[in-house]
């Protein structure tokens, strides 16, 4: 297994950067010296979706996660500051995500291997975000998984992509049997990760692969020290 993984990551303004993540010390290293580079626009270009200007590497697969559904689906009418998806738009959201995956798979040739339903569903932030209660995420997960299955898509569906392992455990414990059976993996962030958290919040009881999608690079030595021991218990995004 490689000790370095390529990933696309955005800053708080939504600009995309290309990084490597080094497992040995938890550092993320930008792959270009240019400032404010936005490789994502080129990656999704229908003609050029090779990241050839970064060490000649090619984008192999994508882990996708929406930070907010379209504003018209939400009760606050905005893509920012949280807001809930209105129940009458759950099927619209499922169709929206399915259509996005179909288009970028068929037209742009990308392998959308993983799709997480909502980024940090318990956080209403000033940037793009949406809030889901346990029951709301449960219902949306069922609708999205059913839409992808009916379309014959191989993309794996995951939830909850919560900020911490504790919050992830709370969401998972509230999932219905139906929703749990339909989820393919558990995406989570490793913020505030402390030694012993992987055992304290042991998600293996759900018999789903665990995908760590965000970790803080500036949260002190405690977090970086625990990451290597966490590695066998989770999957990293490989691009």
């Amino acid at each position: 297994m490689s000790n370095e993984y390529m990933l696309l990551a955005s800053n708080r303004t939504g600009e995309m950067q290309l990084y490597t993540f080094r497992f040995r010390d938890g550092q993320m290293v930008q792959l270009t010296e240019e400032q404010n580079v936005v490789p994502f626009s080129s990656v999704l270009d229908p003609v050029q979706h090779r990241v050839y200007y970064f060490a000649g590497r090619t984008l192999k697969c994508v882990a996708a996660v929406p930070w907010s559904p379209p504003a018209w689906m939400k009760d606050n009418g905005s893509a920012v500051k949280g807001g809930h998806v209105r129940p009458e738009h759950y099927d619209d959201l499922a169709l929206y995500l399915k259509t996005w995956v179909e288009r970028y798979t068929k037209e742009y040739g990308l392998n959308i291997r993983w799709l997480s339903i909502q980024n940090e569903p318990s956080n209403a932030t000033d940037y793009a975000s949406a809030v889901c209660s346990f029951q709301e995420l449960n219902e949306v997960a069922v609708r999205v998984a059913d839409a992808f299955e009916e379309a014959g898509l191989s993309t794996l569906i995951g939830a909850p992509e919560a900020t911490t392992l504790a919050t992830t455990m709370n969401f998972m414990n509230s999932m219905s049997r139906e929703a749990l059976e339909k989820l393919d993996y558990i995406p989570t962030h490793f913020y505030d990760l402390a030694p012993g958290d992987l055992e304290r919040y042991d998600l293996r009881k759900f018999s789903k692969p665990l995908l760590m999608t965000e970790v803080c690079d500036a949260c002190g030595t405690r977090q970086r020290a625990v990451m290597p021991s966490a590695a066998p218990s989770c999957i990293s995004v490989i691009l």
Side-chain angles (χ1 to χ4, degrees):
M1 178 180 293
S2 172
N3 289 322
E4 294 192 6
Y5 300 94
M6 292 183 65
L7 67 152
L8 285 165
S10 68
N11 57 28
R12 291 309 188 197
T13 66
E15 294 181 343
M16 303 303 295
Q17 300 289 342
L18 196 67
Y19 299 86
T20 57
F21 176 76
R22 295 201 304 257
F23 244 141
R24 65 179 181 274
D25 57 8
Q27 297 293 313
M28 286 177 61
V29 181
Q30 192 169 327
L31 294 185
T32 174
E33 296 179 356
E34 296 181 59
Q35 298 297 315
N36 300 317
V37 173
V38 188
F40 196 61
S41 59
S42 294
V43 168
L44 295 183
D45 183 88
V47 178
Q48 296 179 336
H49 51 80
R50 289 174 59 88
V51 195
Y52 60 87
Y53 45 87
F54 293 113
R57 302 199 185 190
T58 302
L59 191 68
K60 294 182 180 178
C61 56
V62 174
V65 53
W67 282 21
S68 174
W72 60 267
M73 295 185 188
K74 299 168 63 181
D75 59 8
N76 68 346
S78 173
V80 301
K81 298 185 177 180
H84 298 252
V85 176
R86 295 181 183 275
E88 62 266 29
H89 291 311
Y90 288 169
D91 286 332
D92 293 324
L93 176 57
L95 176 61
Y96 172 80
L97 295 174
K98 177 186 76 72
T99 303
W100 184 87
V101 168
E102 288 177 331
R103 178 172 182 182
Y104 284 101
T105 298
K106 295 176 181 178
E107 296 186 20
Y108 302 147
L110 294 180
N111 175 15
I112 315 297
R113 186 170 181 181
W114 301 282
L115 177 75
S116 180
I117 293 170
Q118 172 59 48
N119 179 68
E120 298 187 352
S122 59
N123 288 355
T125 60
D126 289 336
Y127 47 88
S129 55
V131 176
C132 300
S133 68
F134 296 149
Q135 181 56 42
E136 287 169 340
L137 188 63
N138 185 89
E139 181 63 28
V140 170
V142 171
R143 304 285 185 96
V144 172
D146 284 347
F148 275 61
E149 182 178 9
E150 290 171 7
L153 296 174
S154 61
T155 301
L156 302 177
I157 303 300
E161 187 111 1
T163 312
T164 66
L165 282 176
T167 309
T168 295
M169 178 65 82
N170 289 337
F171 270 100
M172 294 301 296
N173 281 334
S174 300
M175 287 278 182
S176 67
R177 180 182 297 274
E178 180 185 19
L180 288 174
E181 290 177 351
K182 292 178 183 293
L183 289 179
D184 298 300
Y185 70 99
I186 305 171
T188 186
H189 299 169
F190 273 12
Y191 294 114
D192 298 325
L193 187 69
D197 275 359
L198 285 168
E199 291 73 30
R200 188 175 299 110
Y201 308 108
D202 193 346
L203 295 162
R204 288 176 296 184
K205 69 178 184 177
F206 298 106
S207 301
K208 307 285 183 182
L210 184 65
L211 178 62
M212 185 278 289
T213 52
E214 287 187 32
V215 63
C216 183
D217 184 38
C219 297
T221 56
R222 180 186 71 172
Q223 188 154 24
R224 287 198 292 271
V226 78
M227 281 304 299
S229 64
S233 302
C234 63
I235 304 170
S236 285
V237 180
I238 304 173
L239 300 181

